[in-house]
Amino acid sequence: MRAWAKALGLAVALLPGVAGAQMAELVSQSAFRVCADPANDPMSTEAGTGFENRIADLLAAELERPVEYSWFPMATGFVRRTLGEKRCDVIIGFAQGHELVQNTNHYMTSVYTLILPKTGELSDVVTLADPRLKGKVLGIVAGSPPGTHMARNGLMAKARAYPLFVDRRVQSPASDMLRDLEAGEIAAAVLWGPIGGPLVKREHPDLQVVPLLHEVGAPKMFYRITMGVRLGEDQWKRELNSLIRRNQAEIDAILNDAGVPLLNDMGTEAKVLSQ
């Protein structure tokens, strides 16, 4: 009798839609629950000023649910302590292909950038291979992909490294790097576009952001950014994919307004935004 009941239960669980419904029970139906770093400016802040906060507000309004945040520093253990412990249901920004989460379709493609003064001898540099950068001090976040290209072009010997893993509540390597650039302590800054672009637009009018579109060889400088959900939550992923598709123009507008450099899907040129 128990074997029959077990078999019946398995058969019911495998019926179309039932497994998805069981998974969906892990996702709140009363709130749009977001996992986020409270001090990851310009992406997410507890004050709600980051561009990821604005994207969360947009999607929550489409779902007709309030936004609820589970805050945790974006460092080792972030996914486990938020999404993994079912405190929240979505990470707004996650690089495509990361094994810790299930990725939605990407909602933006962005790129590492070279940040330079608007005037001066380096003002028209567009690639790390430019010989005018030789012998200059460049700032870079330690361990970030552009370091390989800098090494290939002989720029690492004099580079100034800024820490990758910090508590953003008390440290901001990107802001420190840009202040050092304005002070003349470094000649250029190499930063991930969604961080550097908004900071320059908001706080550094004498600097310019140059997308690194012309680097040769690996690693690539552009990355597609998705939302992250729990593994196996296919129904929720499909719902978010639909939201992204229907609201892509509005998402693009939020990112563009923030100063994020947006590329086409192939990472070859600036994205043409729909009107």
Side-chain angles (χ1 to χ4, degrees), residues 83-239:
L83 203 62
E85 293 183 0
K86 304 176 180 62
R87 298 182 182 185
C88 43
D89 302 316
V90 61
I91 301 170
I92 296 296
F94 222 89
Q96 190 178 61
H98 204 293
E99 63 185 13
L100 292 179
V101 304
Q102 180 175 203
N103 298 104
T104 65
N105 294 342
H106 66 281
Y107 63 87
M108 76 165 166
T109 302
S110 195
V111 63
Y112 276 91
T113 62
L114 184 64
I115 300 175
L116 300 157
K118 288 182 177 178
T119 60
E121 62 173 319
L122 303 180
S123 61
D124 59 344
V125 170
V126 297
T127 174
L128 294 172
D130 193 303
R132 287 174 291 177
L133 294 177
K134 292 289 180 65
K136 305 293 187 183
V137 179
L138 273 63
I140 184 171
V141 174
S144 60
T148 300
H149 293 275
M150 288 177 59
R152 187 178 295 135
N153 289 290
L155 302 175
M156 285 302 287
K158 298 191 69 174
R160 179 179 294 187
Y162 294 76
L164 174 61
F165 295 110
V166 299
D167 186 340
R168 292 291 302 278
R169 293 170 294 184
V170 295
Q171 286 182 272
S172 178
S175 294
D176 292 344
M177 196 186 305
L178 295 177
R179 281 194 293 269
D180 289 347
L181 175 56
E182 285 195 322
E185 295 183 18
I186 60 176
V190 181
L191 279 171
W192 174 230
I195 296 177
L199 291 178
V200 167
K201 182 175 182 178
R202 192 177 72 198
E203 301 171 4
H204 302 279
D206 294 329
L207 300 180
Q208 60 177 325
V209 179
V210 181
L212 289 173
L213 301 177
H214 307 291
E215 306 314 302
V216 177
K220 65 181 181 181
M221 292 290 91
F222 72 94
Y223 294 88
R224 297 181 181 122
I225 302 302
T226 72
M227 297 180 192
V229 301
R230 279 180 288 274
L231 298 173
E233 291 190 340
D234 297 333
Q235 182 174 326
W236 178 226
K237 183 182 81 168
R238 286 193 294 270
E239 187 170 2

Side-chain angles (χ1 to χ4, degrees), residues 34-70:
V34 177
C35 326
D37 186 323
N40 200 22
D41 183 50
M43 292 179 285
S44 64
T45 70
E46 196 164 3
T49 57
F51 61 78
E52 289 184 359
N53 298 106
R54 294 177 61 191
I55 293 172
D57 290 341
L58 170 67
L59 301 188
E62 289 291 309
L63 291 169
E64 298 183 338
R65 301 174 195 168
V67 179
E68 290 183 3
Y69 283 98
S70 178

Side-chain angles (χ1 to χ4, degrees), residues 239-254:
E239 187 170 2
L240 288 171
N241 283 342
S242 179
L243 283 171
I244 292 168
R245 183 177 63 255
R246 298 198 311 269
N247 294 278
Q248 187 64 66
E250 290 81 2
I251 293 171
D252 286 347
I254 289 171

